[in-house]
């Protein structure tokens, strides 16, 4: 009898321990996997993770260990560039050459192809690790209060994707019945994306399977949404349906690589500020002035709804590799325009390596690596990220702060952002000569970058060439 009682006691003990463990696990998951909120987006910084080039290893694990560093930069959303395997058929070695054209095996092996030539939507690129490694990346981000969105390529696949042979009717075909790469509708000629096959969105079966693949990563890896590549080339109603279906699983954050406000009506939360980015480049070169900037901001009031967000950026993977580094495009002005992207309406982007003052064009089809030395620019991003995270005057989204243009002359970009009792003032001399202009604000402010208390008197202020100030109301 005593033996039976002892066995029952032991069994009950372990049952209670198991139940306690389950409760603790569920509690941890509840704390860790909080759904994305408007507040996070209104005060956030987004980070584009180029896993291949982020570290010498080029793996998920090497990136994951640095996620706390991104938290220190004010990052609320990590956008991971495509995680899927890359096609080997028609794999690009350069912008106009396939690896199959290279006879030397060693030379051919160094070309890894384009991230955007996907061979399997539901698999992990083995270069980066495995599924468990990716799940750990997502979990670690969540533990640090950061959401993860995955770069998705809905417009086309690689040439050895299983759909090519199993469902050729899921692809665009020419009059000979041959699958083709994406075509420019204005010219009827190829865009030059010859390493990918164009998907046919008239086929409803393809759409259904694409949706299933998108759902997979939410349920399997608990990601928080997607960045949709070339979103303007995919039918709007497809994305409307996608977001509706994904939100049945969990709240999601959707970024469109497009600048078409109609995509923001139902499907997307944020779009690329391509026009704004090109304007920043033109301002840096002296081709546009402060009046052009204020006209651009005013235009956004007419094209965006109250809860729409522009993603502001001075660089990204395309701009760095193909258009040039910040040093090339914004010599002596990168700090000024970086600060502008944090203080103007929208969410600022950091691209892998930018935080370490990356000064070379990362290779696109080959292995490369970014520097990892923290300098003055890293400190600047820390300070700007902290201000974006904590001062409501820089909020965007549904409860956005007000934007108040300040007329300070054609060579000076000036404005204030206000919400409640908070106010942030940005003023920048974008010319190569010193200027004296008026700033109407009066009272106690913090010269934020210099970290010095300042009394503004509503009168003249002098700015050296290509310099800026951020004043925070005290």
């Amino acid at each position: 009898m005593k033996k039976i009682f002892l066995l029952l006691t032991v069994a009950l003990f372990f049952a209670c321990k198991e139940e306690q463990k389950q409760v603790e696990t569920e509690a941890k998951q509840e704390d860790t996997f909080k759904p994305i909120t408007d507040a996070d987006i209104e005060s956030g910084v987004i980070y584009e993770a180029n896993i291949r080039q982020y570290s010498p290893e080029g793996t998920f694990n090497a990136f994951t260990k640095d996620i706390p560093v991104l938290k220190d930069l004010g990052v609320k959303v990590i956008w991971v560039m495509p995680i899927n395997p890359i096609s080997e058929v028609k794999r690009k070695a350069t912008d106009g050459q396939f690896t199959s054209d290279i006879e030397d095996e060693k030379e051919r092996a160094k070309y890894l192809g384009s991230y955007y030539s996907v061979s399997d939507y539901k698999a992990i690129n083995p270069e980066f690790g495995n599924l468990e490694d990716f799940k750990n990346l997502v979990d670690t981000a969540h533990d640090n209060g950061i959401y993860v969105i995955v770069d998705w390529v809905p417009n086309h696949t690689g040439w050895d994707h299983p759909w090519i042979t199993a469902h050729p009717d899921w692809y665009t075909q020419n009059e000979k019945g041959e699958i083709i790469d994406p075509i420019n509708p204005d010219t009827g000629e190829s865009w030059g994306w010859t390493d990918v096959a164009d998907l046919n969105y008239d086929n409803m079966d393809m759409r259904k399977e694409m949706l299933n693949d998108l759902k997979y990563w939410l349920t399997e890896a608990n990601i928080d949404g997607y960045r949709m590549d070339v979103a303007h080339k995919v039918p709007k109603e497809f994305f409307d349906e996608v977001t509706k279906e994904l939100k049945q699983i969990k709240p999601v954050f959707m970024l469109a690589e497009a600048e078409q406000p109609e995509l923001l009506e139902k499907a997307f939360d944020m779009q690329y500020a391509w026009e704004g980015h090109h304007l920043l480049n033109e301002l840096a070169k002296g081709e546009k002035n402060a009046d052009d900037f204020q006209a651009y901001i005013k235009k956004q009031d007419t094209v965006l709804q109250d809860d729409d967000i522009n993603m502001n950026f001075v660089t990204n993977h395309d701009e760095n590799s193909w258009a040039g580094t910040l040093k090339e495009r914004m010599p002596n002005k990168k700090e000024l325009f970086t600060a502008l992207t944090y203080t103007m309406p929208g969410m600022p982007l950091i691209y892998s390596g930018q935080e370490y003052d990356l000064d070379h064009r990362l290779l696109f089809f080959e292995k490369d690596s970014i520097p990892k030395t923290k300098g003055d620019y890293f400190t600047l991003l820390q300070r700007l990220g902290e201000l974006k995270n904590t001062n409501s005057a820089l909020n965007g989204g549904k409860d956005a702060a007000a934007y108040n243009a300040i007329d300070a002359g054609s060579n000076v970009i000036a404005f204030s952002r206000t919400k409640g009792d908070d106010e942030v003032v940005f003023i920048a001399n974008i010319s190569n000569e010193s200027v004296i202009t008026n700033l109407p604000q009066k009272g106690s402010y913090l010269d934020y970058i210099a970290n010095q208390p300042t009394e503004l008197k509503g009168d003249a202020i002098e700015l050296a060439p290509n310099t800026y100030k951020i004043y925070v109301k005290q």
Side-chain angles (χ1 to χ4, degrees):
M1 188 69 180
K2 288 182 178 179
K3 186 176 182 181
I4 294 174
F5 177 77
L6 180 61
L7 290 172
L8 288 172
T9 302
V10 172
L12 181 62
F13 171 79
F14 281 106
C16 290
K17 290 288 288 183
E18 187 63 29
E19 182 179 355
Q20 181 183 359
K21 182 179 178 182
Q22 183 177 351
V23 169
E24 290 174 352
T25 300
E26 290 175 353
K28 183 178 185 299
Q29 287 178 339
E30 186 176 345
D31 289 340
T32 303
F33 305 138
K34 292 177 180 177
I36 199 162
T37 67
D38 293 334
D40 295 314
I41 302 309
E42 289 168 0
S43 62
V45 176
I46 184 169
Y47 185 92
E48 181 185 4
N50 185 335
I51 300 298
R52 178 191 289 173
Q53 315 297 30
Y54 183 83
S55 65
E57 302 91 335
T59 62
F60 290 133
N61 289 339
F63 174 79
T64 298
K65 67 182 182 181
D66 278 359
I67 286 177
V69 177
L70 304 187
K71 181 179 181 179
D72 196 37
L73 292 172
V75 172
K76 294 291 184 72
V77 181
I78 295 173
W79 144 30
V80 185
M81 288 175 67
I83 62 175
N84 310 111
I86 296 171
S87 286
E88 295 184 18
V89 175
K90 296 189 179 182
R91 175 175 288 188
K92 278 193 175 181
T94 64
D95 198 29
Q97 183 184 39
F98 297 126
T99 55
S100 57
D101 299 327
I102 302 173
E103 294 183 3
D104 184 81
E105 184 176 347
K106 186 176 181 180
E107 175 71 11
R108 185 169 61 248
K110 77 178 186 179
Y111 293 104
L112 305 175
S114 168
Y115 319 84
Y116 296 89
S117 177
V118 172
S119 66
D120 189 340
Y121 283 123
K122 293 173 71 174
I124 290 287
N125 186 340
E127 298 172 37
F128 301 159
N130 56 38
L131 179 59
E132 292 306 312
D133 296 333
F134 179 65
K135 287 182 178 180
N136 182 50
L137 184 159
V138 176
D139 290 347
T140 302
H142 288 168
D143 288 342
N144 283 273
I146 299 173
Y147 302 99
V148 177
I149 65 173
V150 165
D151 207 332
W152 195 262
V153 190
N155 183 66
H156 44 260
T157 75
W159 288 96
D160 52 8
H161 193 287
W163 294 354
I164 290 278
T165 53
H167 305 285
D169 56 319
W170 289 9
Y171 292 84
T172 305
Q173 301 178 8
N174 61 20
E175 62 277 3
K176 298 178 182 179
E178 301 167 328
I179 296 174
I180 60 174
D181 54 271
I183 298 297
N184 182 340
D186 295 329
T187 64
E189 302 294 327
S190 169
W191 286 103
W193 306 342
T194 50
D195 56 341
V196 295
D198 191 56
L199 284 165
N200 173 20
Y201 272 85
D202 291 334
N203 191 298
M204 295 299 109
D205 289 335
M206 186 278 290
R207 292 192 186 199
K208 182 178 179 180
E209 191 60 29
M210 178 77 74
L211 177 56
N212 288 335
D213 289 354
L214 286 160
K215 289 179 177 179
Y216 170 82
W217 292 103
L218 264 69
T219 57
E220 182 64 30
N222 199 27
I223 67 168
D224 303 291
Y226 290 97
R227 177 263 190 190
M228 289 292 180
D229 186 59
V230 291
H232 57 289
K233 296 188 180 300
V234 173
K236 172 184 178 295
E237 62 271 16
F238 172 72
F239 287 134
D240 291 345
E241 179 67 16
V242 163
T243 301
K244 178 183 176 182
E245 291 291 323
L246 296 182
K247 286 183 175 179
Q248 298 298 314
I249 301 172
K250 64 180 291 187
V252 291
F253 181 72
M254 303 292 285
L255 166 63
E257 191 206 6
E259 195 167 26
Q260 294 182 339
E262 61 269 22
L263 291 175
L264 299 168
E265 292 173 0
K266 295 180 181 179
F268 291 96
D269 301 285
M270 185 162 72
Q271 67 172 4
Y272 271 51
W274 277 119
E275 183 181 356
H277 172 72
H278 296 316
L279 175 60
L280 297 184
N281 284 331
E282 291 169 325
L283 288 166
K285 291 186 288 187
E287 297 172 354
K288 294 289 179 71
N289 61 30
D291 296 331
D292 297 305
F293 176 81
Q294 299 294 5
Y296 166 75
I297 295 295
K298 188 175 181 179
K299 176 184 174 181
Q300 302 313 297
D301 289 338
T302 63
V303 298
L304 297 180
Q305 301 300 313
D306 292 341
D307 58 347
D308 295 339
I309 305 173
N310 274 332
M311 183 179 75
N312 301 320
F313 55 98
V314 290
T315 188
N316 62 27
H317 68 271
D318 284 317
E319 294 301 288
N320 169 266
S321 292
W322 308 119
T325 65
L326 288 176
K327 186 176 181 180
E328 290 177 88
R329 291 181 290 106
M330 298 178 174
N332 305 319
K333 297 182 181 182
K334 70 173 186 289
E335 291 85 1
L336 186 160
F337 288 108
T338 298
L340 181 56
T341 63
Y342 276 74
T343 51
M344 65 191 283
M347 183 186 291
L349 169 73
I350 301 173
Y351 173 51
S352 290
Q354 180 186 343
E355 69 270 39
Y356 298 109
D357 209 6
L358 176 67
D359 64 354
H360 74 275
R361 299 188 185 199
L362 288 172
L363 298 173
F364 199 82
F365 302 109
E366 303 171 53
K367 182 72 181 82
D368 204 341
S369 196
I370 67 172
K372 285 293 183 68
T373 303
K374 297 178 182 178
D376 292 341
Y377 192 70
F378 186 96
T379 302
L380 173 63
L381 293 182
Q382 278 183 309
R383 295 280 288 150
L384 292 172
E386 180 182 11
L387 185 64
K388 181 70 175 176
N389 286 173
T390 60
N391 196 300
S392 69
L394 298 183
N395 283 177
K398 291 182 179 180
D399 194 17
Y403 177 93
N404 312 289
I406 298 173
D407 185 3
S410 61
N411 288 328
V412 178
I413 295 174
F415 56 84
S416 71
R417 304 286 310 281
T418 55
K419 184 177 179 181
D421 294 330
D422 290 336
E423 181 183 21
V424 173
V425 180
F426 178 88
I427 184 167
N429 175 11
I430 58 174
S431 75
N432 295 320
E433 298 179 359
S434 294
V435 297
I436 297 176
T437 188
N438 290 320
L439 199 59
Q441 276 69 19
K442 297 179 181 180
S444 298
Y445 288 78
L446 176 69
D447 182 339
Y448 186 74
I449 300 302
N451 198 28
Q452 294 179 345
T454 301
E455 197 72 21
L456 297 181
K457 301 179 180 179
D459 54 9
I461 180 172
E462 183 173 3
L463 292 169
N466 302 312
T467 59
Y468 69 98
K469 292 284 187 180
I470 297 174
Y471 294 110
V472 178
K473 185 178 181 180
Q474 300 298 286

